[in-house]
């Protein structure tokens, strides 16, 4: 069947099971947009900026596990996509981006809106294609989808010249099957490595599982939990591992790293075995590599061999699909309790469990941590996806919103892309229309992509936007507070009246600046029909604790200074975190668990109230 | 750090060299030399890459090369009995007095003169990169006008085929590549 290249694009998308694409038209992609009218089964979402299209495709992919699709024109359309593509690359999110390119004869002439898009996107894509002939389109798109979702997922870009879209070719789906002789999505570790790994696990006294996003990608939450339970191994998650292991699981200690739980970081430093599952020892979780987990042997399970020994030298690498690896290793692992190790961890938890939220003065001011914890309480019974932006609110969300479901937190971890949240949430809503989708963002990041409110309005979809408005680029201000003597260069920030802004987009806007109003605000947001924007006006100079300064030793955390703690008011009882469940069931050490919350009433040991004044690490 | 010689077989498609070069640049690998040529198989090119790396670093280079979709196979010849060859052309200044000496050195290095005029000789030398380097060194005192080196190409000795399967990352290489903490990314 002869079709135009443009029609072939849509045929392929349909065959790949695509039901929604996010895009923005322009000259070089016009033939494809024109052909779109013949394919009503695929819904096109008109975005307001191509960065938004890529974040939406990304949010869609992360919420659904399917491939997200974004479309843009040549030149500026394509370059606008780069941030979103890099974001997807760093977090291994499967998206396919289709861009128009100038006519094949014009390539290399600096034609109007010509950019070397395959060149520009090369370092931030898993793979990319420049297609100049209509007959090559189908195979490029099929391969793009296959590469994007297989192995370690990632973004793939297909740049298609305008003439290739216009000319006709035979559409042969079968004949366009991927031919990728050099592509190795997965590996299989040799049996001997498994034996060595099992031996290490069985002989460990203080083992710890580091749970990353790979568990989500391989869908092995249950398998990991079972392994941990049987072998008595505590689990800690990365930021992208949040929700993959339920927060309510007694095996889950919480998040590790820069703003992770203090006792988790201490546990990492004291462990004698780290079992890293689908995580990559990012600098945000290791701190100073020279002092990182020196007491521990390391087993690293990852699908990507290039991650092995990249940051942290490991003793055993099990390269492959986590599902396969767990299936082989689990039967070789002996039952264990590690009671002593749990007691040690619980003791550290007792000391460290003063969650910031419990130490905040209840002086009527609104604190971000309260907003987020309230939000969790008010939404936990509903099927909710939270999409966060980047900054302080992102860390507070990770700390105070307890995620029990995989894919219930979507956040830009690796690239830390401000402006991610709103568009990614729109994408997530298209993936899961039946779920509530919340955006938690800062006033800074929100202003980067707030134009996508118009997209939400035009599409008639409901996302609930909680702006944690501190009138600062909060996280940067925090660094300035700690490491630059409070010289707040370019971090105080104004914004529009967010309520009026929402109204200007014909959406509902709400403002909340009192803790007692949070519930009513959230309730009325949930009750409203369309997208709602809430301006939570919070304490301006609040700080995320604990914090491991960049490049510092993992257990050298800055904790909330003593003088800020006003526990004695005693009015925060309702807002305590649930009593920490500490031990997996069926052990005689439950005492420590009961004790923990009490000990938690003590303020955190006041470690230097200021960060190191200037360290080498302050270089950016 | 030591020199590692990797052979990468790549699909001969547009942009593939760019992909390899971009990988080395963005991963901060140190390329000593890189050469490309055809192979006995149509559609397949062969790259010889010499990198300065620790053993663990070389494994990471290898793993990253495998991540490129167009890379078919990678062999590390560093620890295998192999042949390494490079070709150099050296244009060296000569006077009636020094000409004989230069010719004699050319003889010693089994190089050959490929162009002559009243003031210079162009000498072609082949051999291991070390030998070509040495030749350059001994000619330096006479005044080298111009030099060009191809970079190393390499081939394993013997008739045994290299394994087509990518070796899995070895983990017994110790911590010799530990990144300096000051190199850690420091951005907010
Ligand atoms: C696109 C982009 N630019 C700059 C940064 C650096 N950065 C990290 S956090 C942050 C401040 C974020 O401020 P805001 O969105 O108001 O959130 P808050 O930290 O106050 O919660 C900045 C500027 C970034 N991560 N992304």
């Amino acid at each position: 069947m002869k079709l135009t290249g443009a029609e072939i694009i849509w045929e392929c998308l349909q065959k790949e099971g695509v039901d929604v694409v996010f895009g923005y038209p322009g000259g070089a992609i016009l033939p494809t947009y024109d052909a779109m009218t013949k394919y009503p089964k695929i819904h096109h979402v008109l975005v307001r900026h191509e960065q938004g299209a890529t974040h939406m495709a990304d949010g869609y992919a992360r919420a659904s596990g399917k491939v997200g699709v974004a479309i843009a024109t040549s030149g500026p359309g394509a370059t606008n996509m780069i941030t979103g593509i890099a974001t997807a690359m760093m977090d291994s999110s499967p998206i396919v981006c289709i861009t128009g390119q100038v006519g094949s004869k014009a390539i290399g002439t600096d034609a109007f809106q010509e950019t070397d898009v395959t060149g520009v996107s090369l370092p931030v894509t898993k793979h990319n294609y420049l297609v100049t002939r209509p007959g090559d389109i189908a195979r490029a798109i099929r391969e793009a989808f296959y590469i994007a979702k297989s192995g370690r997922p990632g973004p793939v870009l297909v740049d298609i010249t305008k003439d290739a879209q216009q000319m006709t070719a035979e559409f042969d789906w079968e004949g366009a099957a991927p031919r990728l002789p050099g592509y190795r999505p997965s590996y299989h570790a040799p049996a001997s490595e498994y034996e060595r790994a099992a031996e290490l696990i069985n002989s460990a006294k203080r083992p710890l599982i580091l749970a990353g996003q790979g568990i989500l990608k391989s869908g092995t939450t249950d398998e990991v939990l079972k392994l941990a339970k049987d072998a008595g191994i505590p689990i800690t998650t990365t930021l992208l591992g949040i929700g993959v292991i339920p927060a309510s699981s007694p095996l889950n200690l919480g998040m590790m790293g820069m703003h992770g739980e203090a006792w988790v970081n201490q546990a990492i430093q004291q462990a004698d075995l780290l079992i890293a599952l689908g995580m990559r020892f990012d600098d945000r979780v290791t701190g100073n590599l020279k002092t990182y987990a020196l007491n521990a042997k390391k087993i690293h399970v990852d699908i990507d061999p290039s991650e092995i020994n990249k940051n942290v030298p490991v003793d055993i690498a099990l390269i492959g699909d986590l599902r396969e690896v767990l299936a082989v290793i689990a039967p070789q692992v002996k039952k264990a309790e590690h009671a002593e190790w749990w007691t040690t961890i619980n003791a550290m938890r007792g000391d460290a469990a003063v969650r910031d939220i419990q130490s905040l003065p209840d002086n009527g001011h609104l604190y971000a941590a309260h907003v987020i914890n309230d939000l969790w309480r008010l939404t936990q019974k509903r099927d909710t996806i939270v999409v966060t932006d980047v900054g302080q609110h992102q860390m507070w969300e990770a700390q105070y919103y307890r995620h029990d479901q995989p894919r219930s937190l979507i956040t830009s971890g690796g690239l830390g892309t401000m402006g991610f949240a709103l568009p990614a949430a729109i994408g997530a809503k298209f993936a899961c229309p039946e779920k509530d989708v919340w955006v938690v963002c800062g006033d800074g990041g929100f202003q980067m992509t707030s134009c996508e409110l118009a997209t939400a309005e035009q599409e008639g979809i409901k996302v609930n936007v909680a702006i944690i408005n501190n009138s600062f680029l909060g996280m940067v201000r925090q660094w300035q507070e700690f490491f630059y003597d409070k010289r707040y260069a370019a971090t105080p920030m104004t914004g529009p009246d967010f309520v009026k802004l929402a109204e200007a987009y014909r959406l509902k806007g709400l403002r909340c600046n009192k803790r007692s109003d949070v519930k009513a605000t959230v309730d009325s947001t949930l009750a409203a029909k369309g997208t709602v924007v809430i301006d939570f006006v919070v304490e301006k100079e609040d700080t995320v604790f604990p914090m491991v300064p960049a490049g510092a030793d993992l257990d050298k955390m800055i904790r909330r200074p003593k003088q800020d703690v006003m526990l004695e008011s005693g009015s925060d009882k309702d807002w305590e975190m649930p009593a920490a469940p500490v031990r997996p069931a069926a052990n005689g050490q439950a005492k420590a668990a009961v004790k923990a919350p009490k000990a938690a009433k003590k303020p955190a040991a006041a470690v230097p109230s200021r960060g190191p004044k200037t360290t080498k690490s302050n270089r950016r | 750090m030591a020199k590692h010689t990797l052979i990468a077989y790549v699909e001969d498609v547009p942009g593939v060299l760019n992909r390899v070069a971009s990988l080395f640049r963005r991963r901060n690998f140190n390329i000593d030399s890189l050469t490309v040529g055809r192979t006995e198989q149509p559609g397949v090119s062969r790259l010889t890459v010499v990198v300065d790396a620790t053993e663990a670093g070389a494994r990471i280079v290898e793993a990253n090369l495998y991540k490129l979709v167009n890379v078919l196979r990678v062999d590390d010849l560093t620890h295998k009995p192999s042949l390494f060859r490079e070709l150099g052309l050296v244009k060296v200044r000569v006077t009636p007095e020094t000409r004989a000496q230069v010719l004699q050195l050319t003889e010693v290095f089994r190089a050959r003169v490929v162009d002559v005029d009243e003031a210079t000789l162009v000498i072609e030398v082949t051999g291991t990169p070390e030998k070509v380097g040495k030749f350059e060194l001994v000619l330096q005192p006479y005044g080298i006008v111009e030099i060009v080196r191809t970079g190393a190409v390499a081939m394993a000795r013997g008739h045994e085929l290299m394994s087509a399967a990518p070796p899995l990352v070895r983990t017994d290489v110790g911590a010799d590549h530990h990144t300096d903490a000051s190199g850690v990314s420091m951005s907010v």
Side-chain angles (χ1 to χ4, degrees):
Chain A
M1 179 179 32
K2 274 221 183 259
L3 295 176
T4 64
E7 288 163 342
I8 291 175
I9 293 174
W10 292 106
E11 289 285 342
C12 289
L13 293 180
Q14 228 167 34
K15 285 250 196 294
E16 291 290 349
V18 174
D19 48 12
V20 58
V21 297
F22 307 93
Y24 207 96
I29 194 76
L30 254 184
T32 298
Y33 270 88
D34 187 47
M36 181 172 87
T37 54
K38 291 182 215 155
Y39 296 86
K41 272 195 239 149
I42 300 180
H43 179 64
H44 178 273
V45 176
L46 177 63
V47 301
R48 294 302 181 271
H49 185 292
E50 290 86 350
Q51 178 187 352
T54 46
H55 289 328
M56 286 180 208
D58 189 348
Y60 177 91
R62 296 195 207 201
S64 66
K66 296 195 286 185
V67 178
V69 180
I71 300 180
T73 192
S74 66
T79 54
N80 271 351
M81 284 182 142
I82 296 299
T83 302
I85 295 174
T87 305
M89 182 72 173
M90 286 291 258
D91 289 348
S92 308
S93 188
I95 66 171
V96 168
C97 297
I98 294 172
T99 49
Q101 180 55 280
V102 299
S104 55
K105 299 258 159 33
I107 287 183
T109 65
D110 296 328
F112 178 63
Q113 293 193 331
E114 181 191 359
T115 302
D116 171 15
V117 174
T118 40
V120 171
S121 65
L122 179 65
V124 292
T125 48
K126 188 172 170 187
H127 194 57
N128 63 21
Y129 292 87
L130 169 61
V131 184
T132 55
R133 288 183 312 200
D136 295 342
I137 291 175
R139 193 173 139 210
I141 292 184
R142 274 193 84 163
E143 290 183 356
F145 273 80
Y146 174 60
I147 292 171
K149 66 188 172 199
S150 57
R152 177 179 183 173
V156 182
L157 181 140
V158 187
D159 194 27
I160 306 173
T161 58
K162 188 168 185 179
D163 51 337
Q165 297 168 49
Q166 287 163 325
M167 289 187 300
T168 59
E170 196 62 35
F171 174 56
D172 175 9
W173 177 251
E174 300 310 324
R179 283 197 297 272
L180 297 163
Y183 179 56
R184 292 175 170 82
S186 195
Y187 296 77
H188 309 281
S192 58
E193 293 290 292
Y194 281 107
E195 280 161 29
R196 286 177 57 211
E199 226 165 81
L200 271 191
I201 297 174
N202 290 334
S203 60
K205 294 275 177 294
R206 298 186 306 281
L208 188 58
I209 289 174
L210 310 181
Q213 197 193 197
I215 300 173
L216 177 78
K217 301 282 183 199
S218 58
T220 49
T221 296
D222 293 345
E223 287 82 350
V224 173
L225 280 171
K226 182 166 186 321
L227 176 77
K229 185 150 192 282
D230 290 349
I233 307 175
I235 306 175
T236 156
T237 73
T238 63
L239 176 65
L240 294 190
I242 286 180
V244 180
I245 303 297
S248 58
S249 164
L251 294 158
N252 188 353
L253 305 183
M255 185 172 75
M256 64 181 102
M258 183 175 273
H259 294 293
E261 303 286 4
W263 69 82
V264 170
N265 290 340
Q266 284 162 355
I268 288 172
Q269 295 300 70
Q270 291 180 24
D272 68 353
L273 176 66
L274 297 181
I275 306 163
L277 304 179
M279 58 83 73
R280 59 184 178 84
F281 294 105
D282 183 80
D283 57 80
R284 294 288 126 135
V285 312
T286 61
N288 184 358
L289 286 170
K290 287 215 169 98
T291 58
Y292 179 73
L294 295 180
N295 301 311
K297 299 251 186 225
K298 284 130 198 146
I299 299 173
H300 194 176
V301 185
D302 206 287
I303 199 162
D304 180 355
S306 74
E307 289 299 344
I308 309 298
N309 288 330
K310 187 181 77 179
N311 296 336
V312 172
V314 298
D315 300 276
I316 295 178
L318 297 175
I319 301 163
D321 187 317
L322 188 53
R323 175 168 294 282
E324 237 171 75
V325 171
L326 288 169
V328 179
I329 199 123
Q332 303 181 38
V333 173
K334 297 206 185 87
K335 275 211 178 301
E337 290 239 323
H338 298 302
E340 225 174 282
W341 176 221
W342 277 99
T343 310
T344 310
I345 290 176
N346 289 338
M348 294 191 287
R349 187 197 303 243
D351 158 57
V354 174
R355 304 295 301 255
D356 247 18
I357 194 161
Q358 294 166 299
S359 12
L360 292 170
D362 183 16
N363 53 8
H365 289 222
L366 192 54
Y367 284 89
H370 286 147
V371 174
I372 286 160
N373 201 236
D374 286 5
L375 188 62
W376 167 64
R377 280 157 204 286
L378 296 165
T379 59
Q380 59 171 326
K381 297 227 163 60
R382 306 169 66 106
D383 209 348
T384 301
I385 297 176
V386 182
V387 186
T388 73
D389 216 74
V390 171
Q392 291 185 311
H393 64 277
Q394 179 188 32
M395 293 298 113
W396 280 316
E397 203 283 346
Q399 294 175 335
Y400 298 115
Y401 197 107
R402 298 169 65 80
H403 290 273
D404 272 345
Q405 294 299 324
R407 303 192 188 281
S408 67
L409 169 61
I410 293 173
T411 191
S412 165
L415 199 68
T417 307
M418 283 172 70
F420 172 79
L422 176 60
I426 293 172
K429 185 69 183 178
F430 275 98
C432 305
E434 74 291 352
K435 294 189 185 178
D436 288 351
V437 176
W438 279 85
V439 170
V440 171
C441 61
D443 47 315
F446 175 73
Q447 290 185 66
M448 282 197 170
T449 51
S450 59
C451 55
E452 301 302 344
L453 284 178
T455 309
E457 195 274 337
Q458 184 169 359
E459 291 294 328
I461 59 158
K462 177 173 177 59
V463 292
N464 308 309
V465 183
I467 303 173
I468 308 298
N469 182 0
N470 54 11
S471 304
F472 267 108
L473 294 172
M475 186 58 95
V476 177
R477 187 207 58 75
Q478 174 167 342
W479 283 50
Q480 290 170 332
E481 177 186 340
F482 283 158
F483 312 119
Y484 296 88
D485 286 327
K486 294 199 175 184
R487 286 186 298 277
Y488 293 157
T491 45
M493 181 179 242
T494 64
D497 178 327
F498 292 120
V499 174
K500 282 193 186 146
L501 182 77
E503 286 163 4
Y505 284 112
R506 291 179 293 279
L507 300 170
K508 188 177 171 114
L510 297 169
R511 179 164 295 115
C512 173
N513 43 27
K514 278 206 299 290
R515 178 118 163 250
S516 49
D517 288 348
V518 173
K519 184 174 186 313
T521 308
V522 170
D523 285 346
S524 89
T525 300
L526 288 170
K529 245 187 103 235
T531 290
V532 178
V533 178
I534 314 169
D535 182 10
F536 283 109
V537 183
V538 298
E539 193 64 38
K540 287 192 161 108
E541 298 189 32
D542 196 4
T543 311
V544 183
F545 289 109
M547 178 184 191
V548 182
D553 301 351
L554 193 57
D555 47 2
K556 301 276 180 343
M557 281 153 290
I558 307 174
R559 306 278 282 277
R560 183 171 288 277
K562 232 176 187 160
Q563 61 270 22
D564 279 5
V565 182
M566 287 202 224
L567 287 170
E568 306 321 320
S569 72
S571 57
D572 257 349
K573 287 228 171 57
D574 288 355
W575 304 103
E576 264 175 35
M577 301 301 287
V582 189
R583 289 275 321 225
N587 62 66
Q589 295 289 322
K591 263 193 187 150
V594 183
K595 260 195 188 151
K598 257 203 192 148
K601 277 280 155 194
K602 258 188 273 151
V607 197
S609 64
R610 280 289 190 75
K613 272 234 166 92
T614 31
T615 60
K616 230 178 19 177
S617 60
N618 287 336
R619 293 185 300 110
R620 294 206 186 193
Chain B
M1 294 281 232
K3 299 236 184 300
H4 286 259
T5 306
L6 301 171
I7 307 292
Y9 296 87
V10 301
E11 285 183 274
D12 185 11
V13 291
V16 65
L17 246 190
N18 191 15
R19 288 180 198 278
V20 174
S22 162
L23 168 72
F24 278 79
R25 179 185 50 73
R26 71 176 183 271
R27 291 282 175 195
N28 222 352
F29 300 147
N30 251 327
I31 309 188
D32 228 59
S33 74
L34 193 157
T35 63
V36 206
R38 289 189 302 113
T39 63
E40 67 285 359
Q41 240 180 302
V44 177
S45 301
R46 177 174 173 134
L47 266 86
T48 309
V49 193
V50 182
V51 288
D52 233 345
T54 60
E55 192 60 37
R59 298 285 72 74
I60 290 174
V61 174
E62 192 176 349
N64 272 287
L65 278 169
Y66 270 117
K67 268 175 89 167
L68 297 179
V69 169
N70 301 123
V71 170
L72 301 168
R73 200 174 98 200
V74 183
D75 291 327
D76 187 348
L77 296 190
T78 312
H79 305 300
K80 291 176 184 150
S82 312
L83 298 162
F84 300 93
R85 289 293 179 272
E86 179 168 3
L87 183 143
L89 291 176
V90 191
K91 188 179 287 174
V92 62
R93 196 163 283 124
V94 285
T95 60
E97 294 79 54
T98 61
R99 189 183 298 263
Q101 291 169 18
V102 170
L103 285 173
Q104 199 184 352
L105 285 169
T106 304
E107 187 84 351
V108 171
F109 276 82
R110 288 171 212 244
R112 53 196 197 103
V113 174
V114 289
D115 188 51
V116 184
D117 72 8
E118 65 284 1
T120 61
L121 293 177
V122 177
I123 306 165
E124 173 191 315
V125 57
T126 56
T128 62
E130 293 72 35
K131 176 183 157 186
V132 177
K134 198 75 174 280
F135 189 56
E136 184 184 340
L137 206 73
V138 299
L139 290 186
Q140 222 129 52
Y142 301 96
I144 291 177
V145 181
E146 211 181 320
I147 187 161
V148 57
R149 296 175 61 166
T150 58
V153 292
M155 188 179 277
R157 290 177 187 269
H159 64 275
E160 267 173 58
L161 282 176
M162 294 275 172
S163 105
L168 289 171
V169 176
R170 289 197 297 265
T171 50
D172 53 354
V173 287
D176 57 349
H177 75 295
H178 225 150
T179 326
D180 187 351
S182 62
V184 169
S185 128
M186 292 306 157
S187 49
V188 186

